[in-house]
Amino acid sequence: ANYFSKFSKAPVICKLVGRKVLDGVGQPTLEVEIYCTVKNYEKRICSIVMASHSQIPENALPETIEADEKERNYSVHSAVEWVNESLRTMLRDLESTDQCQADRILGEYFANKVEEKKEIQRREEEEAAKVTPAPASCPPTPIPKQKKGGKPVKKVLVQENLIPPAEPAEPVLCGSLAIGGTSLAIAKAGATISRVPLYLYIALLKHDQESPKEMTLPLPMVTLLNCEKNLSTKLKLVKEVMLIPPVELSLKQGIERIQDIQKEMTRLLESSGKMPGAQADSKKGKAQSSGKKAPPPPLKRISHLGCLTTGYDNLEQLLLLMQTACKNIDLELGTDMYLAINCAAHELMDYDKGKYEILTGTFKSPDEMVAMYMEMINDFPFIIALIDPLRKEDREQWRSICCALGSKCYLIAEDAATHISKLKTDQNINIATCSGVVLKYINQTKVSDLVELTGILDGQRHITILGSPDGESLDESLAVGLGARFLKLGGLSRGERVAKYNRLLAIEEELAANGTLR
């Protein structure tokens, strides 16, 4: 039976099923299910859940958040329709292992949808122009003449804002989740049909079906602290503090070491009253001194990133506490563990002042930010990566900071980079002088786009970081198969994030057993 099965017709896609589900943070998103005809029988092969990703910053207005939620719901509804109607028909009878053809069909379908959207907008603009009357011409404002002997009229000089304005957000077509979801689902189905793990299937796609002799696991960037910018504390410069284990450790050893640091940091934060709610308890001294029983200690607050949420008044306070935690367990930052800091500079800009607000009430110009980062890396050389230290619009300052610090730490663009589709089209990244780019598998991104783009970045000697979107549903196999240098998944809490770390540990064991782990 096994012998004759080799001569049977290759499995082909017979049905796609799209449905609305919830992702790891409870937001609506898309699930795509693949059914194939295998030896004349319809068989469910696999399913994937796309991650939701929002571009709305933490300090957004309530009405902005509400509008984003409505748009997200509409986008998921459209994506479900695309999968269950058009894409199901277009991809029927396609071999599940023909990823290039599947992605070509998906790309053409999406391009047609974009053109349809543009045509609808053009018609609406034409109709609006017909309805709206032409504005009445206003008479010119008379210039007041200066009276004889009168004081000259003072000219008010308006100070020009010298910073480049924020570039508009990349438009996202409602329903685009269907493209990325279907592409990844077909890749997973192809791996299942081929009886190979997804990470190896992706690696074969990248290396023209040649099995790599060695494979390297990406270094994890594990988020230890999430410093929310809307807390009462002053420090706004830091959004995430991440730990990066040294390369000589195995992934398992690195994760264990990070867990030890996390436990010690939790102990220090609780003892110093920095845990959320602890400061409120310390203010109840009067109640305690009057003989009343103190309330029970608050539960640890874990952010959606799977890490502790806390705040600080300055950067030195945070970094010194990190050093103390490591010393307490006989580790040294810069040797036994390294730090990466996500600055999320685009959330710091005060456009009225034309400066970044790094501490509450403390502002710095883009040039002053470069000088501050230089001083920071010189004082704390164990920081080996800065993510989004500046906005993408500050190109001149990006060049300056890369010239000054490029040999000392990685300068990585996340929100400061353009979208994957544009990166692939332009064949170069928006900020040519950065060390690398965080890539996220969202919206209309296809598997072949990531394969092609990582090849371009490798050729330009830029490092690739696969990042997990807000909704967490990134498949860690992508990072392994694509040969990413780093993997940014969040903290060591929350079920879905921990499941990814566990899968990486299993992949490490598989590669070691096969003798292909480098």
Side-chain angles (χ1 to χ4, degrees):
N2 290 342
Y3 174 79
F4 282 110
S5 70
K6 295 174 186 176
F7 300 97
S8 63
K9 186 181 176 184
V12 294
I13 297 169
C14 62
K15 186 169 69 174
L16 297 181
V17 177
R19 63 172 64 90
K20 180 180 175 180
V21 295
L22 298 179
D23 67 11
V25 290
Q27 294 289 353
T29 190
L30 171 72
E31 181 186 34
V32 179
E33 212 169 26
I34 300 273
Y35 288 79
C36 288
T37 303
V38 183
K39 298 172 187 173
N40 298 325
Y41 291 97
E42 182 183 292
K43 184 179 179 182
R44 181 190 181 278
I45 303 299
C46 65
S47 68
I48 67 100
V49 176
M50 278 295 282
S52 63
H53 180 66
S54 174
Q55 294 179 327
I56 304 298
E58 282 180 7
N59 51 0
L61 297 171
E63 51 267 30
T64 308
I65 296 170
E66 186 179 347
D68 181 60
E69 287 176 355
K70 284 182 181 177
E71 188 175 349
R72 190 197 303 264
N73 272 298
Y74 177 64
S75 183
V76 172
H77 178 73
S78 301
V80 170
E81 282 186 352
W82 287 15
V83 173
N84 290 333
E85 295 172 10
S86 307
L87 296 181
R88 177 186 290 187
T89 305
M90 295 168 73
L91 294 168
R92 186 178 291 137
D93 297 331
L94 181 74
E95 287 189 22
S96 58
T97 52
D98 195 348
Q99 188 71 36
C100 292
Q101 178 66 2
D103 283 349
R104 188 185 64 77
I105 293 170
L106 291 169
E108 288 175 357
Y109 178 77
F110 181 73
N112 291 336
K113 284 289 183 182
V114 170
E115 289 304 316
E116 283 178 22
K117 177 75 173 177
K118 286 180 181 176
E119 182 63 24
I120 292 168
Q121 287 177 339
R122 188 181 62 78
R123 287 176 187 168
E124 288 175 352
E125 286 170 5
E126 286 177 357
E127 289 174 6
K130 289 176 185 176
V131 174
T132 308
S137 58
C138 299
T141 307
I143 301 170
K145 293 182 179 178
Q146 184 181 330
K147 294 180 181 178
K148 289 183 180 179
K151 293 182 180 180
V153 179
K154 290 183 180 179
K155 292 181 180 179
V156 180
L157 294 174
V158 180
Q159 188 178 1
E160 292 184 6
N161 199 346
L162 298 177
I163 64 158
E167 293 178 7
E170 192 83 13
V172 177
L173 185 64
C174 282
S176 59
L177 275 173
I179 304 299
T182 304
S183 178
L184 186 55
I186 290 172
K188 196 171 180 182
T192 305
I193 295 294
S194 304
R195 296 186 178 88
V196 296
L198 180 57
Y199 67 84
L200 182 55
Y201 187 79
I202 299 291
L204 290 169
L205 287 175
K206 186 173 181 180
H207 297 97
D208 297 325
Q209 299 305 317
E210 280 188 27
S211 185
K213 294 178 182 177
E214 289 184 321
M215 295 188 73
T216 309
L217 285 177
L219 278 173
M221 285 181 162
V222 182
T223 307
L224 179 68
L225 298 173
N226 178 30
C227 303
E228 287 191 353
K229 298 182 181 183
N230 53 5
L231 292 176
S232 58
T233 45
K234 293 181 179 179
L235 181 64
K236 296 183 180 294
L237 179 66
V238 177
K239 183 174 184 177
E240 288 176 84
V241 178
M242 291 165 282
L243 296 175
I244 303 175
V247 289
E248 60 268 16
L249 295 184
S250 68
L251 180 71
K252 185 177 181 181
Q253 291 169 328
I255 295 294
E256 287 173 352
R257 188 172 288 185
I258 288 168
Q259 281 182 310
D260 292 339
I261 295 173
Q262 183 172 293
K263 288 173 186 174
E264 182 59 21
M265 274 296 289
T266 304
R267 190 188 68 78
L268 289 175
L269 288 169
E270 287 175 338
S271 62
S272 64
K274 277 282 179 185
M275 290 296 291
Q279 290 178 344
D281 290 340
S282 65
K283 291 178 182 177
K284 296 180 181 178
K286 291 180 182 179
Q288 291 173 5
S289 60
S290 61
K292 292 182 181 179
K293 190 176 180 181
L299 293 173
K300 299 170 189 173
R301 186 179 166 201
I302 303 294
S303 81
H304 71 283
L305 296 170
C307 59
L308 296 169
T309 300
T310 185
Y312 292 89
D313 289 328
N314 58 65
L315 184 64
E316 289 75 16
Q317 181 188 13
L318 163 60
L319 295 176
L320 290 173
L321 187 66
M322 293 282 300
Q323 283 181 305
T324 303
C326 289
K327 283 179 181 175
N328 288 352
I329 53 174
D330 297 324
L331 296 176
E332 186 180 348
L333 282 176
T335 305
D336 304 308
M337 190 60 65
Y338 300 93
L339 290 191
I341 292 179
N342 182 3
C343 304
H346 58 287
E347 296 180 7
L348 303 176
M349 178 56 74
D350 185 319
Y351 286 95
D352 293 331
K353 293 183 170 63
K355 293 185 176 183
Y356 293 96
E357 187 177 16
I358 60 164
L359 299 170
T360 304
T362 303
F363 298 86
K364 286 189 182 292
S365 68
D367 289 324
E368 289 171 335
M369 292 286 281
V370 174
M372 180 197 68
Y373 287 126
M374 289 169 63
E375 186 179 347
M376 180 202 301
I377 300 301
N378 286 332
D379 292 345
F380 302 101
F382 48 77
I383 300 173
I384 63 164
L386 295 174
I387 299 177
D388 284 345
L390 298 159
R391 300 179 310 143
K392 62 182 171 185
E393 294 83 3
D394 297 324
R395 292 179 177 83
E396 188 180 330
Q397 285 76 22
W398 269 97
R399 282 190 286 272
S400 300
I401 195 174
C402 286
C403 289
L405 297 177
S407 61
K408 296 181 179 180
C409 75
Y410 294 112
L411 298 158
I412 297 164
E414 184 172 354
D415 283 87
T418 52
H419 279 236
I420 286 175
S421 55
K422 195 172 179 184
L423 289 176
K424 192 171 74 78
T425 307
D426 295 349
Q427 293 274 316
N428 70 12
I429 54 180
N430 194 15
I431 302 159
T433 46
C434 72
S435 311
V437 185
V438 178
L439 303 178
K440 295 180 180 178
Y441 193 87
I442 53 175
N443 302 324
Q444 71 269 19
T445 305
K446 302 183 291 295
V447 170
S448 56
D449 292 340
L450 276 186
V451 169
E452 185 180 342
L453 184 56
T454 50
I456 293 169
L457 291 170
D458 293 346
Q460 295 178 352
R461 295 189 176 182
H462 285 105
I463 59 167
T464 302
I465 302 98
L466 259 288
S468 182
D470 298 337
E472 307 179 23
S473 299
L474 167 85
D475 197 302
E476 64 289 338
S477 297
L478 281 173
V480 179
L482 293 167
R485 180 73 174 127
F486 293 104
L487 181 59
K488 185 173 175 281
L489 285 179
L492 292 174
S493 296
R494 303 287 187 204
E496 192 167 326
R497 295 186 189 276
V498 173
K500 296 178 193 311
Y501 285 115
N502 288 339
R503 176 60 185 142
L504 280 173
L505 292 169
I507 291 173
E508 183 178 54
E509 287 183 8
E510 287 174 27
L511 293 175
N514 297 335
T516 54
L517 179 64
R518 188 171 66 201

